[in-house]
Amino acid sequence: NLYAVYETTDRKFWTELAKCNQAEFKKSGTEGKCIEAREFIIALPESFVDYPPDGLLKYMTDKFKSRYGVDCIAALHHNKRKTNYHIHLIFAERNYLDEPIEKIATRNMFYDEKGNHVRTKKEILDENGTIRKRCKVIKKGERQMFTIKDARFKQEHFLDEVKVFYTDVINGLVKDEKEKLSAFKRGDVYLATKKIGKNNPKADKITLNNKVIQDWNRTVDHALVSGM
């Protein structure tokens, strides 16, 4: 059940971004799969079906772009039984270069871990004479359209930050106070259960774990009510 799709930029951006990330991945020599973009699945209260789908999706997506300054593509879905209203939001880790959008290097260009241009290759080498991780070389004549990947998206606290951010956004739209959400905090007495995705091989283990967590959370409720 697909209700709406929204992009903050044109489709060409995603094609060029995929090419850039694949090329950078190949250069790095890293094993595994290339990450062309990152995704969040955002669960929504079922009452949000009362909002126009196009407007709701645009609002939720533009909020992310406004906060983090990256382009997004998103889709608004329901599962088959219409019990799980949610958004798939894919966001880029790179942006187009501001000036110019496309530039061709007239000589080899060297960039350090922060994306700052340095004069010589020696400045980005480690003690073994190899290029340091996250440093970059743009070869002469090579076209560069994008910035380096934004390091914020790999930081440990980023996911927690986004959870709190979207919890506040959703709470600003709910009409019934009983539907207001709260984000689980690391180190809090309450524990979060895990969503079981379709065909998850660990479904039985997660189900058992969720039951134990629910029992624990009920125990916490009783303890707090009792003044413990």
Side-chain angles (χ1 to χ4, degrees):
N1 296 289
L2 174 63
Y3 300 117
V5 175
Y6 174 66
E7 299 179 58
T8 61
T9 184
D10 57 45
R11 191 57 59 90
K12 181 183 176 183
F13 172 88
W14 300 104
T15 303
E16 296 292 350
L17 179 67
K19 290 179 183 177
C20 172
N21 284 330
Q22 289 286 357
E24 292 299 318
F25 180 77
K26 187 175 180 180
K27 282 184 195 175
S28 70
T30 306
E31 295 182 356
K33 293 183 178 180
C34 171
I35 297 175
E36 294 182 358
R38 293 186 180 270
E39 179 186 21
F40 281 117
I41 300 175
I42 306 163
L44 301 173
E46 285 302 310
S47 65
F48 278 23
V49 296
D50 294 334
Y51 288 112
D54 290 329
L56 175 63
L57 183 61
K58 183 178 185 302
Y59 178 79
M60 297 290 288
T61 306
D62 285 345
K63 281 287 186 181
F64 188 92
K65 180 176 181 179
S66 176
R67 183 179 180 94
Y68 295 105
V70 290
D71 281 304
C72 311
I73 180 171
L76 182 60
H77 288 268
H78 238 147
N79 61 339
K80 285 185 179 179
R81 292 181 296 161
K82 295 191 175 181
T83 57
N84 180 12
Y85 200 45
H86 62 279
I87 291 171
H88 288 266
L89 184 143
I90 294 172
F91 65 95
E93 295 177 275
R94 304 176 190 267
N95 282 315
Y96 274 137
L97 289 170
D98 289 333
E99 200 55 51
I101 292 178
E102 296 184 20
K103 72 175 183 180
I104 298 176
T106 55
R107 62 183 179 83
N108 287 354
M109 307 285 281
F110 310 106
Y111 296 85
D112 64 17
E113 294 89 341
K114 296 181 179 178
N116 297 322
H117 176 250
V118 295
R119 293 183 62 192
T120 64
K121 184 178 180 180
K122 187 177 180 181
E123 295 175 72
I124 61 172
L125 300 180
D126 60 19
E127 60 273 10
N128 299 318
T130 55
I131 296 173
R132 297 194 304 272
K133 211 170 184 181
R134 293 189 58 78
C135 292
K136 187 175 181 181
V137 179
I138 303 296
K139 294 181 180 179
K140 181 179 178 180
E142 185 175 331
R143 182 164 59 179
Q144 183 187 12
M145 299 175 64
F146 293 91
T147 62
I148 62 171
K149 286 188 175 182
D150 193 323
R152 289 178 301 171
F153 304 137
K154 289 187 178 181
Q155 293 175 357
E156 192 173 335
H157 68 272
F158 173 65
L159 181 58
D160 290 335
E161 179 186 314
V162 174
K163 284 180 180 178
V164 172
F165 168 66
Y166 266 121
T167 297
D168 291 340
V169 172
I170 290 170
N171 285 344
L173 294 175
V174 295
K175 298 172 182 177
D176 187 344
E177 286 291 318
K178 293 178 182 178
E179 282 194 316
K180 286 203 169 180
L181 308 174
S182 59
F184 281 93
K185 298 178 181 178
R186 294 184 189 272
D188 192 45
V189 290
Y190 288 102
L191 302 176
T193 55
K194 290 186 177 180
K195 176 178 172 58
I196 303 174
K198 189 176 181 180
N199 300 323
N200 190 325
K202 296 182 179 180
D204 292 341
K205 185 176 181 180
I206 296 173
T207 300
L208 180 61
N209 192 59
N210 284 346
K211 184 180 182 305
V212 174
I213 288 174
Q214 288 165 349
D215 291 341
W216 166 263
N217 288 341
R218 282 193 289 269
T219 302
V220 171
D221 283 337
H222 292 311
L224 293 177
V225 170
S226 302
M228 293 177 62

